[in-house]
Amino acid sequence: MKSAASAMSHDDTQDTGVPQIRDAIRDAIVERRLSPGTKLSESDVGNLFNVSRTLARAALQALSYEGLVSVEKNRGAFVAYPSPDEARQIFAARRLVEPGILREAAVHITRSDIEHLKQLLLEEGRLMGERGQTARRAEIKASGDFHLTLAAISGNAIMQRFMEELVARSSLVIALYGQSTVSSCGHAEHGDIIEAIESGELDRACRLMLHHIAHIEADLDLRERKSVGLKEAFEL
Amino acid sequence: MKSAASAMSHDDTQDTGVPQIRDAIRDAIVERRLSPGTKLSESDVGNLFNVSRTLARAALQALSYEGLVSVEKNRGAFVAYPSPDEARQIFAARRLVEPGILREAAVHITRSDIEHLKQLLLEEGRLMGERGQTARRAEIKASGDFHLTLAAISGNAIMQRFMEELVARSSLVIALYGQSTVSSCGHAEHGDIIEAIESGELDRACRLMLHHIAHIEADLDLRERKSVGLKEAFEL
DNA sequence: GTGCAGAAAATCGTATACAATTTCGCCCAC
DNA sequence: GTGGGCGAAATTGTATACGATTTTCTGCAC
């Protein structure tokens, strides 16, 4: 199943082959094939996709606006390495925004939307059963798709785009600070939320959503962990 | 007084002379010196700022990520012309997000923050007294600064950036669909909100904020109004 | 005068070239 | 052996060049 990010047309007042490169790199970051801190040199990216540095640079720039890549003047682009504080802000933003999205989605939701959500849930469950890093990657993505789909249902393209950023960055944070190998008590919670929406218990759905986000965040060990730092290891 | 947008450091993991160009164009858009739909050709922008098309293009691209400029493949960049539906989404997003920001800001707010807000309010009032388009521009910006400052106080850089986008785009919407010459019953409402925060009446502050946003939106005439249409001129 | 080629001009899309900056290795002094 | 500095290599910053697409203008047919 294609990811929500690529299936949802995004914005596409776009223009070049840049989107393809951007999306490919984004997927690689979100799926953790690229780890935080990895250098993304313009030449390398360009060669990899058989385009000039011009387009590679544009794609990296785009990703920097989404907070997935940080570009430093005269030094280049790196897969973002969110600080614990940034991580907290990301989740604070989600707590702030997702209940509202949920309520808005509840207004517009149709039966087929609910079907779609349940479908996602099934897929998620299936992946949970599997073993291996590939399955874990797919699981993270599927888990994100649940939240992204809710945003899409809300009908607000702006909030949708914002959530895409938050979910992608959350994935980075989990990659960096996640503890339990499977942070997906989430699965059951997703189901509960759908159920609450379906039966019209909006307030309960919001409460569940907040708990859900809190649970994800609780699985993090938010301590400074700068690079594999040799120096830092002694400065403690 | 410098605008909040440029005073607030934004993100600045930035790199080139692009930020200067981007900010200059953004200010021009937000202050309505550039009207919606205006073509922004890469060559013109480049010549204007004495840089090559490369940098001009990068700046325009950046603005397109913020929704202030729309770039169409092989056609170029234009000052965004938000549709009525986009306008509604922008304000829906603000209603969804600003109460939360307000609550978060209330947690972190200091006495000096409150002083700062009151300062803004004074400035706003002063501008309301003046006449002329220049004053109106400054007034729009000052009004936006109130909301931006609250976001800054909240301490969440992500929500702050998001609000910057929403406020800037709101300005575009008001430019396009605003009716009353002075949409700034807002001034008094800003004062009320500060007051409510100061006295710890959080729920009331949120209610006031929602009313405030509703008032701004109520001043809009959200009817399709494509280009300065010659045809439309007769359909009246 | 209206409408439709077709060519010329302007503008964007992408690659390449060159300058500026950083990074890395090397050599030498201590 | 350690540290500092110098120079080469690599990488980014910016400009320019050239092909592709769109827009505008022109001229001819009707």
Side-chain angles (χ1 to χ4, degrees), chain A residues 181-193:
Chain A
T181 38
V182 192
S183 60
S184 49
C185 44
H187 179 65
E189 295 179 345
H190 286 176
D192 293 346
I193 291 171

Side-chain angles (χ1 to χ4, degrees), chain A residues 10-23 26 54-67 157-158 161-162 165, chain B residues 10 14 18 22 26 29 57-71 77-78 80 161-162 164-166 168-169:
Chain A
H10 210 22
D11 202 18
D12 286 75
T13 43
Q14 269 299 1
D15 43 347
T16 74
V18 169
Q20 185 200 330
I21 302 173
R22 164 171 52 63
D23 292 347
R26 181 179 25 226
T54 307
L55 300 191
R57 187 184 177 87
L60 292 171
Q61 205 63 28
L63 289 167
S64 97
Y65 290 119
E66 301 178 28
I158 298 169
R161 184 169 51 73
F162 189 42
E165 174 178 333
Chain B
H10 209 24
Q14 267 302 1
V18 169
R22 165 173 49 66
R26 184 185 15 234
I29 293 176
R57 185 185 178 86
L60 292 171
Q61 206 61 29
L63 289 168
S64 96
Y65 292 121
E66 302 178 27
L68 291 182
V69 157
S70 81
V71 314
F78 305 83
R161 184 169 51 73
F162 189 43
E164 280 169 22
E165 174 178 333
L166 289 177
R169 295 179 74 171

Side-chain angles (χ1 to χ4, degrees), chain A residues 141-169:
Chain A
K141 179 167 271 192
S143 162
D145 277 354
F146 172 78
H147 296 264
L148 257 31
T149 302
L150 275 178
I153 294 172
S154 83
N156 190 318
I158 298 169
M159 294 312 302
Q160 189 179 337
R161 184 169 51 73
F162 189 42
M163 272 305 296
E164 278 170 23
E165 174 178 333
L166 288 177
V167 166
R169 294 179 74 170

Side-chain angles (χ1 to χ4, degrees), chain A residues 185-205:
Chain A
C185 44
H187 179 65
E189 295 179 345
H190 286 176
D192 293 346
I193 291 171
I194 294 177
E195 205 177 284
I197 296 175
E198 201 172 5
S199 62
E201 304 170 89
L202 225 359
D203 289 335
R204 179 160 153 266

Side-chain angles (χ1 to χ4, degrees), chain B residues 143-170:
Chain B
S143 163
D145 277 355
F146 172 77
H147 297 263
L148 257 31
T149 302
L150 276 178
I153 294 171
S154 82
N156 189 318
I158 298 169
M159 295 311 301
Q160 188 179 336
R161 184 169 51 73
F162 189 43
M163 273 305 296
E164 280 169 22
E165 174 178 333
L166 289 177
V167 166
R169 295 179 74 171
S170 295

Side-chain angles (χ1 to χ4, degrees), chain B residues 44-69:
Chain B
D44 290 353
V45 172
N47 291 339
L48 197 54
F49 291 93
N50 287 101
V51 295
S52 72
R53 267 181 59 215
T54 307
L55 299 192
R57 185 185 178 86
L60 292 171
Q61 206 61 29
L63 289 168
S64 96
Y65 292 121
E66 302 178 27
L68 291 182
V69 157

